[in-house]
Amino acid sequence: MNKLVLTEEETMLADMARGFLDGAAPVSKFREMRDAGQTFDRALWKEMADMGWAGVLVPEDAGGSDMGFAAANVIAQEMGKTLAVSPFLSSAVIAATALRQVSDARASDALAKIASGEATYALAVDEGIKFDPEGTAMEAKADGNGFRLSGKKQFVVDGSLADRLLVLARTESGLTLFDIPADRAGIQRDASNMIDARDAARITFDDVEATGDDVLGSVDRAMDVLKPALQAGQAALAAEMSGLSAGAFAMTVDYLKERKQFGVEIGRFQALQHRAAHLWCEIEVTASAILNAGRMLDNDPENAELAVSLAKARATDTAKLSVIEGVQMHGGIGMTDAFDMGFYMKRARVGAEWLGDYSYHAEKIAAARGF
């Protein structure tokens, strides 16, 4: 049975990450980037790569640290507390997990480039208003020994600046995953103005050439490669949202201790104490669900879907509660752009939709339980 407490190594990793992010990527840094219209700090990502974060899921023989999914979630959770912006989820988690499913020299070389910070990836899956990989309509038409890709993708997080794209398309008898350079002829990337100031893009593929070497895994069997990558991404995103919840909660508690009404700190008011205690309990339970998801992905990946969907659903719900309570307990200041709570609310809203919203994962949970 998995113990839902951090190991000594994971605690050390969390402490190290916390110390680094507090200094190199505090919320004030995010505000500076937002105001400057900047969505990616390459120097910061290089520092993260040098610490082994970019290679957290990359095998050691490809230059990675191979610490596992639970460790990746620990890092993501700490990033969420300060809203650190990086391609960690898209590249170090999703792309690295997909590439690990393939045993060839090309995949090994790609993994090495991710670990070093040399290459960044984005996942191009979404086409409609909701996450639905199985409903992919983008066409990859056979053309000699290769394919021609035509269609559109939206909500491609990290998509406007990524070096490479993982593209899901429909082939003759199923779905196929392609790993192609983002600057290939026929690809047009239009940056999306995301409410949380994170890099994203709408991407148009106009008769884009893809060779057999660009296929990641097997033709018509994309989910063999993509499903583990999606689950890893969903768990890490849940961890980031859990960190976001904890960051918003800490900010709120500090305010409750400082703000006075009638000469008394408002944190002494029992009604607010009850609300804060309830939120703390929700954050702790969600953190346990996320730790369980990481343990399942590490130890029993074939049966991890329920744990992952539970973590993402709970993280979505908890983040929503945390930012709503944060705004309300801060009163009028909580609604202003000059105060950081709004950043947490916007990030929570985007995270709720990426890689499946609450309803998507609730349906997965219900199906797994036989309903």
Side-chain angles (χ1 to χ4, degrees):
M1 185 174 181
N2 293 330
K3 291 184 178 180
L4 299 183
V5 293
L6 294 177
T7 65
E8 182 178 350
E9 293 77 11
E10 289 165 348
T11 299
M12 292 175 61
L13 176 62
D15 290 343
M16 179 270 292
R18 174 84 282 107
F20 171 76
L21 292 166
D22 281 345
V27 181
S28 59
K29 169 74 172 179
F30 173 74
R31 179 180 288 277
E32 291 174 6
M33 292 177 64
R34 193 282 306 261
D35 291 347
Q38 183 182 2
T39 56
F40 181 28
D41 186 339
R42 292 189 181 277
L44 176 63
W45 181 237
K46 184 63 171 64
E47 287 187 71
M48 292 179 178
D50 290 344
M51 291 190 297
W53 293 7
V56 65
L57 296 175
V58 174
E60 292 182 4
D61 58 9
S65 52
D66 201 11
M67 290 187 282
F69 295 102
N73 291 353
V74 168
I75 295 172
Q77 190 167 19
E78 296 303 322
M79 286 183 173
K81 291 178 182 178
T82 63
L83 305 179
V85 176
S86 80
F88 179 76
L89 295 180
S90 298
S91 297
V93 177
I94 297 173
T97 302
L99 288 162
R100 285 188 67 140
Q101 311 308 309
V102 182
S103 300
D104 59 31
R106 177 183 172 283
S108 181
D109 180 62
L111 283 165
K113 289 180 179 178
I114 288 176
S116 68
E118 179 182 348
T120 58
Y121 276 78
L123 177 65
V125 169
D126 289 334
E127 296 178 4
I129 61 173
K130 291 295 182 180
F131 178 72
D132 182 21
E134 298 289 352
T136 294
M138 180 175 166
E139 184 180 27
K141 184 179 295 185
D143 181 31
N145 293 326
F147 300 87
R148 292 283 177 173
L149 277 59
S150 297
K152 296 183 178 181
K153 299 289 185 180
Q154 63 183 18
F155 197 19
V156 182
V157 178
D158 299 319
S160 70
L161 298 174
D163 302 307
R164 300 188 68 85
L165 302 171
L166 294 182
V167 185
L168 184 63
R170 189 164 295 280
T171 40
E172 184 176 1
S173 301
L175 296 173
T176 301
L177 189 64
F178 297 88
D179 177 0
I180 58 179
D183 59 356
R184 180 163 288 177
I187 295 177
Q188 178 181 327
R189 295 188 285 177
D190 298 308
S192 297
N193 185 19
M194 299 269 280
I195 62 169
D196 69 340
R198 203 172 199 163
D199 177 34
R202 295 181 178 90
I203 305 181
T204 302
F205 297 81
D206 184 9
D207 200 32
V208 176
E209 180 181 5
T211 69
D213 290 339
D214 293 324
V215 174
L216 194 59
S218 302
V219 174
D220 296 328
R221 300 196 57 171
M223 288 304 165
D224 291 351
V225 172
L226 186 56
K227 183 177 179 180
L230 289 176
Q231 290 182 349
Q234 288 158 348
L237 177 57
E240 182 185 270
M241 294 178 74
S242 175
L244 177 160
S245 300
F249 176 71
M251 184 183 300
T252 300
V253 170
D254 286 344
Y255 185 75
L256 295 180
K257 293 177 179 178
E258 296 172 0
R259 175 77 167 119
K260 290 185 178 181
Q261 286 186 358
F262 313 113
V264 178
E265 296 86 355
I266 62 175
R268 293 179 180 272
F269 300 161
Q270 192 174 60
L272 295 183
Q273 290 177 353
H274 286 173
R275 289 167 63 177
H278 171 67
L279 176 55
W280 181 85
C281 290
E282 292 296 314
I283 291 172
E284 289 298 303
V285 173
T286 296
S288 294
I290 290 163
L291 190 54
N292 181 57
R295 296 273 189 267
M296 289 294 292
L297 287 169
D298 282 327
N299 302 320
D300 190 10
E302 295 298 320
N303 297 301
E305 183 173 64
L306 174 59
V308 170
S309 283
L310 179 61
K312 179 60 166 65
R314 276 211 60 95
T316 296
D317 205 37
T318 302
K320 179 181 178 180
L321 176 64
S322 183
V323 296
I324 287 176
E325 289 287 62
V327 168
Q328 290 186 353
M329 290 194 212
H330 278 88
I333 191 175
M335 296 297 295
T336 66
D337 184 70
F339 197 69
D340 291 339
M341 185 59 69
F343 291 149
Y344 286 89
M345 175 169 278
K346 292 171 183 176
R347 180 68 63 85
R349 188 68 190 89
V350 172
E353 294 295 326
W354 191 23
L355 301 178
D357 61 11
Y358 183 91
S359 295
Y360 175 89
H361 289 285
E363 288 180 7
K364 291 281 188 183
I365 294 166
R369 294 191 176 278
F371 293 105

